[in-house]
């Protein structure tokens, strides 16, 4: 199967790729792998039961990037996948996942992706997942990503999850476990518009001594859209955890933010901050006094906020 | 030239009535000159600045810029015609950095000017260009970045609202030098500085003293400075116990 112009554009939007990348890659288009490439350090293979991929990063691998984008372009396609990523001990790699849906049809397109990530002892992982939808049909574009991540002893993971446009319905579940001296930072960026609804449910459990967890979410809700943000942070031992959810609300949108802290040890230091508000009038006026129109000022503020 | 012709502004007060916060303001601001507006807190200085920028709408009188009546123009339109205002209390932005704001202020700005603008306000460009203009900056830093934005633009009328607040003496001296060289005898540009600063006031060509919403008195620095000198010097000591910078 060939990758056409439209697919290429979608691919570029979700992963900034302008062609086939060097290194390890698996491009999934409408349920099938259209391109797969392993490297000596990163092996990509299919699971025996055919439910998805296994990506194995050899211990000690440094500065390599794996691309595993998913594209849905035939209208009404429902895709389900279960991928496993094993990031080997002391390695340092980037995984770029993401899903782009183009739906011109009247039936719903849906991708339910389960990613199970294990960051082994002393490894460093940067994980980037971008979600995007487009298309002219009234069929919905639905994405339900589930991510489970285990950060082993002394490992570090930063996960950036971005959904900026065009996804009608999303339920995102992220479950993380952090072991001794492990560190996890989850950064979420979300924009909803029209009648979209998005729910993100993050649960981080710090099990190991001196572990640390951070959840930083910024979102913008426009028009009639609805967002729910749940972040539960549990500290079972001496550890540090912080949750921050900061939202800009516009038009007739609704936002519900539910941060939750559970400390099961007196040495757990857990904090949260949550704020929902519209764009401050002073900010608009400031930018207008530099020559921007009101519309430009709003766009500038939102783009900065979600950057 | 910027001309304020009988400007008044009324706001709704808390008892459901109205209150005139500035009234019958008449003033001309000529190119090549530096003007100071001074007077007690709550006198109406910031209100006059906001009315000039179009942030507040005057309910009586007219504003002319180089002969054009700009009374009905929006903030954006006035900015495009060359009016700039450095806020007394600048807002913060999550996600916009110093470079972003300077580039919005002056879209064609090059790296050299970016650096120069920050140095002019006493900030080290390496440390500040990529900093978020958000909750992580101090009031004094925000203030300097605000001034840098106005200095970076090519403007017809630049208004600085208490630029000295939160800025050290050395930077104030340097700012005075920059404002003098940028505006004094510039045939196209005027500076208006709202200030109580004893170093700034004497270098201004004309000082307007605003009190209780009106221009109480005006004149050259030589005429006015002796009248207000006592007030300002003792106020300085009062408010900051001899340190530079004070609130509002
Ligand atoms: N938007 C507003 N609504 C109501 N009252 C205002 C508003 N802006 C300013 N004022 C009042 O007008 C007076 C003058 O304020 P301001 O111009 O900020 O004084 P200054 O800058 O000289 O300290 C003050 O009493 C202030 O409380
Ligand atoms: Mg003021």
């Amino acid at each position: 199967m060939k990758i056409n112009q439209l697919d290429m554009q979608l691919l570029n939007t979700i992963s900034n790729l302008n062609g086939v990348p060097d290194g390890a890659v698996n491009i999934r288009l409408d349920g099938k792998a259209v391109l797969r490439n392993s490297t000596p350090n990163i092996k990509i293979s299919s699971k025996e039961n055919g439910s998805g991929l296994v990506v194995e990063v050899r211990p000690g691998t440094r500065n390599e990037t794996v691309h595993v984008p998913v594209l849905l372009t035939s209208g009404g396609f429902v895709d389900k996948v279960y991928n496993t990523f094993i990031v080997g001990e002391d390695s340092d790699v980037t995984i770029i996942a993401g899903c782009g849906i183009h739906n011109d049809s009247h039936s719903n397109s849906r991708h339910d992706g389960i990613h199970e990530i294990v960051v082994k002892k002393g490894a460093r992982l940067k994980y980037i997942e971008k979600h995007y939808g487009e298309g002219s049909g009234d069929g919905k574009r639905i994405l339900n990503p589930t991510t489970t991540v285990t950060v082993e002893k002394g490992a570090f993971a930063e996960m950036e999850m971005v959904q900026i446009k065009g996804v009608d319905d999303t339920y995102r579940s992220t479950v993380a476990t952090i072991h001794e001296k492990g560190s996890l930072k989850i950064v979420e960026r979300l924009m909803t518009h029209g009648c979209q609804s998005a729910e993100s449910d993050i649960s981080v459990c710090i099990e190991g001594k001196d572990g640390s967890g951070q959840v930083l979410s910024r979102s913008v809700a426009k028009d009639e859209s609805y967002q729910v943000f749940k972040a539960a942070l549990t500290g079972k031992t001496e550890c540090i955890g912080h949750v921050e959810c900061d939202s800009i609300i516009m038009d007739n949108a609704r936002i519900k933010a539910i941060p939750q802290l559970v400390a099961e040890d007196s040495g757990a230091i857990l904090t949260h901050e949550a704020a929902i508000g519209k764009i401050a009038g002073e900010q608009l006026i400031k930018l207008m006094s530099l020559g921007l129109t009101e519309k430009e000022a709003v766009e500038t503020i939102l783009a900065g906020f979600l950057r | 030239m910027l001309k304020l012709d009988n400007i008044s502004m009324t706001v709704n007060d808390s008892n459901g009535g109205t209150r005139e916060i500035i009234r019958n303001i008449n003033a001309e601001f000529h190119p090549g000159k530096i003007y100071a507006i001074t007077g007690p807190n709550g006198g109406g200085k910031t209100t006059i600045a906001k009315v000039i920028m179009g942030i507040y709408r005057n309910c009586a009188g007219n504003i002319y810029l180089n002969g054009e009546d700009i009374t009905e123009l929006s903030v954006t339109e006035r900015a495009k015609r060359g009016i700039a205002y450095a806020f007394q209390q600048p807002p913060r932005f999550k996600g916009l950095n110093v470079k972003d704001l300077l580039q919005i202020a002056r879209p064609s700005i090059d790296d050299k000017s970016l650096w120069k603008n920050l140095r002019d306000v006493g900030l080290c460009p390496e440390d500040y260009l990529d900093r978020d203009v958000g909750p992580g900056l101090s009031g004094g830093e925000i203030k300097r970045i605000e001034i840098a934005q106005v200095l970076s633009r090519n403007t017809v009328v630049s208004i600085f609202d208490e630029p000295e607040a939160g800025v050290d003496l050395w930077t104030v001296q340097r700012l005075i030098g920059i404002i003098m060289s940028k505006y004094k005898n510039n045939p196209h540009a005027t500076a208006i500085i709202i200030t109580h600063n004893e170093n700034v006031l004497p270098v201004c060509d004309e000082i307007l003293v605003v009190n209780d919403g009106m221009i109480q008195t005006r004149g050259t620095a030589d005429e006015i400075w002796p009248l207000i000198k006592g007030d300002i010097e003792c106020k300085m000591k009062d408010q900051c116990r001899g340190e530079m910078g004070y609130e509002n």
Side-chain angles (χ1 to χ4, degrees):
Chain A
M1 203 190 295
K2 260 193 65 188
I3 300 176
N4 67 27
Q5 189 64 32
L6 179 83
D7 305 337
M8 211 56 236
Q9 274 173 22
L10 209 52
L11 194 60
N12 181 268
T13 307
I14 60 164
S15 54
N16 289 331
L17 289 175
N18 283 313
V20 172
D22 292 336
V25 56
N26 186 87
I27 301 177
R28 180 181 174 95
L29 174 63
D30 294 328
K32 290 195 189 71
V34 289
L35 182 98
R36 177 176 300 172
N37 201 1
S38 294
T39 66
N41 290 328
I42 301 177
K43 192 175 123 202
I44 303 181
S45 53
S46 296
K47 284 189 176 162
E48 274 170 21
N49 60 9
S51 64
L53 298 176
V54 181
V55 177
E56 287 166 282
V57 176
R58 242 182 40 187
T61 302
R62 307 241 135 205
N63 299 322
E64 286 199 40
T65 299
V66 196
H67 287 272
V68 286
V70 171
L71 306 174
L72 263 62
T73 56
S74 53
F77 197 86
V78 175
D79 190 21
K80 220 177 169 135
V81 67
Y82 188 152
N83 297 334
T84 301
F85 299 84
I86 311 284
V87 179
E89 285 184 18
D90 297 316
S91 56
D92 183 350
V93 293
T94 303
I95 298 173
I96 302 183
C99 181
I101 300 183
H102 182 101
N103 187 2
D104 287 330
S105 82
H106 299 296
S107 15
N108 297 346
S109 292
R110 191 172 106 197
H111 177 75
D112 296 347
I114 302 172
H115 281 181
E116 180 191 4
I117 303 167
V118 181
V119 190
K120 294 281 190 185
K121 254 168 62 183
R124 293 180 73 83
L125 167 69
K126 170 127 198 191
Y127 175 87
I128 302 170
E129 186 181 279
K130 255 192 213 173
H131 285 166
Y132 170 76
E134 60 177 28
S136 56
D138 51 18
K140 283 192 169 180
R141 300 170 293 259
I142 305 170
L143 278 167
N144 295 324
T146 300
T147 309
T148 65
V149 54
T150 306
V151 180
E152 291 192 352
K153 185 174 173 182
F156 170 83
E158 180 174 346
M159 307 180 66
E160 197 179 301
M161 306 193 280
V162 181
Q163 179 174 306
I164 298 299
K165 236 189 139 187
V167 178
D168 295 304
D169 227 317
T170 191
Y171 175 81
R172 177 196 290 280
S173 154
T174 309
V175 177
T177 311
I178 302 167
H179 295 282
E180 193 184 332
K181 294 199 173 93
S183 172
L184 171 68
K185 179 175 173 184
I186 296 177
V187 177
E188 194 180 41
R189 296 285 179 266
L190 174 65
M191 209 265 281
T192 52
H193 54 101
C195 295
Q196 296 172 352
S197 81
E199 178 165 350
S200 176
D201 195 341
I202 300 177
S203 160
V204 175
C205 181
I206 310 174
E207 294 193 342
K209 191 166 178 298
D210 295 328
S212 72
Q214 250 189 101
V215 179
L216 307 172
S217 161
R218 280 196 185 168
S219 74
V220 174
K222 292 184 179 176
D223 307 324
E224 313 287 322
S225 65
Y226 180 52
Q227 298 180 358
V228 181
F229 179 79
K230 288 187 200 152
L233 192 57
T234 304
K236 297 203 161 177
T237 167
E238 247 172 75
C239 63
I240 297 180
H242 180 64
V243 174
E244 211 172 293
C245 23
D246 204 341
S247 303
I248 293 180
I249 184 162
M250 302 170 73
D251 313 312
N252 298 312
R254 288 171 303 142
I255 300 176
K256 190 160 147 186
I258 315 165
Q260 174 186 303
L261 304 179
V262 181
E264 297 182 358
D265 186 289
S266 62
I269 303 171
L270 307 178
T271 50
H272 79 72
E273 277 171 53
I276 302 174
K278 60 178 189 204
I279 295 177
E282 283 280 294
Q283 292 181 332
L284 289 175
I285 285 170
K286 171 71 240 179
L287 296 186
M288 287 159 71
S289 78
L290 297 175
L292 300 190
T293 61
E294 186 169 349
K295 189 163 173 277
E296 288 166 341
V298 169
E299 281 162 7
T300 303
I301 291 166
L302 295 186
F305 186 72
L306 291 174
R307 182 151 64 187
Chain B
M1 183 197 55
L2 176 74
K3 184 172 172 191
L4 304 183
D5 184 10
N6 233 0
I7 299 292
S8 298
M9 191 196 141
T10 308
V11 293
N12 297 326
D13 68 17
S14 44
N15 317 324
T18 58
R19 188 162 73 94
E20 227 174 10
I21 52 176
I22 52 171
R23 56 200 137 137
N24 307 112
I25 303 287
N26 288 289
E28 288 185 0
F29 302 96
H30 296 268
K33 295 220 152 86
I34 300 174
Y35 296 83
I37 301 180
T38 192
N41 284 337
K45 304 178 296 296
T46 295
T47 304
I48 294 174
K50 288 189 172 175
V51 164
I52 295 171
M53 189 70 243
I55 297 168
Y56 287 170
R57 288 312 172 110
N58 47 303
C59 35
N62 293 76
I63 308 168
Y64 301 91
L65 183 65
N66 293 332
E68 181 193 11
D69 186 343
I70 61 165
T71 316
E72 297 302 322
L73 296 190
S74 68
V75 175
T76 308
E77 288 164 320
R78 293 186 201 198
K80 292 204 162 125
R81 280 170 176 68
I83 297 181
Y85 172 51
F87 284 37
Q88 183 176 0
Q89 278 153 339
R92 291 162 194 264
F93 294 89
K94 280 183 189 162
L96 293 182
N97 62 33
V98 174
K99 190 173 175 181
D100 293 329
L101 282 183
L102 288 169
Q103 280 172 336
I104 293 166
R106 179 157 194 180
S108 64
I109 199 163
D110 56 23
D111 282 350
K112 210 176 127 206
S113 317
L114 272 172
W115 283 53
K116 183 179 180 305
N117 274 306
L118 285 178
R119 285 216 194 87
D120 282 350
V121 294
L123 296 178
C124 170
E126 287 99 328
D127 296 342
Y128 283 92
L129 273 175
D130 297 325
R131 289 276 291 274
D132 237 32
V133 188
L137 293 181
S138 75
E141 289 168 323
I142 294 273
K143 202 69 194 179
R144 292 165 198 238
I145 292 159
E146 179 73 7
I147 296 164
Q149 289 162 46
V150 170
L151 290 175
S152 75
R153 298 179 57 196
N154 265 333
T155 54
V156 180
V157 175
S158 298
I159 310 169
F160 301 90
D161 199 342
E162 303 200 15
E164 69 271 17
V167 175
D168 59 275
L169 181 60
W170 187 82
T171 306
V172 170
Q173 299 287 14
R174 181 168 177 159
L175 262 179
I176 294 171
I178 289 155
I179 289 175
M180 296 275 278
S181 70
K182 198 168 154 84
Y183 303 98
K184 203 135 198 167
N185 302 321
N186 178 339
H188 308 292
T190 306
I192 302 173
I193 312 174
I194 298 174
T195 183
H196 305 286
N197 190 277
E198 55 191 340
N199 298 296
V200 179
L201 284 165
V203 306
C204 295
D205 295 289
E206 189 178 349
I207 298 174
L208 311 180
V209 182
V210 174
N211 192 1
D212 202 14
M214 291 184 297
I215 298 178
Q216 194 178 48
T217 164
R218 68 179 93 196
T220 62
D222 289 344
E223 293 160 0
I224 301 293
W225 179 238
L227 304 177
I228 57 174
K229 185 168 175 273
D231 280 353
I232 283 175
E233 283 175 346
C234 97
K235 185 173 171 186
M236 297 288 299
K237 292 205 184 76
D238 249 27
Q239 293 196 347
C240 58
R241 288 169 235 96
E243 292 161 39
M244 280 302 300
Y246 46 88
E247 285 168 1
N248 296 315

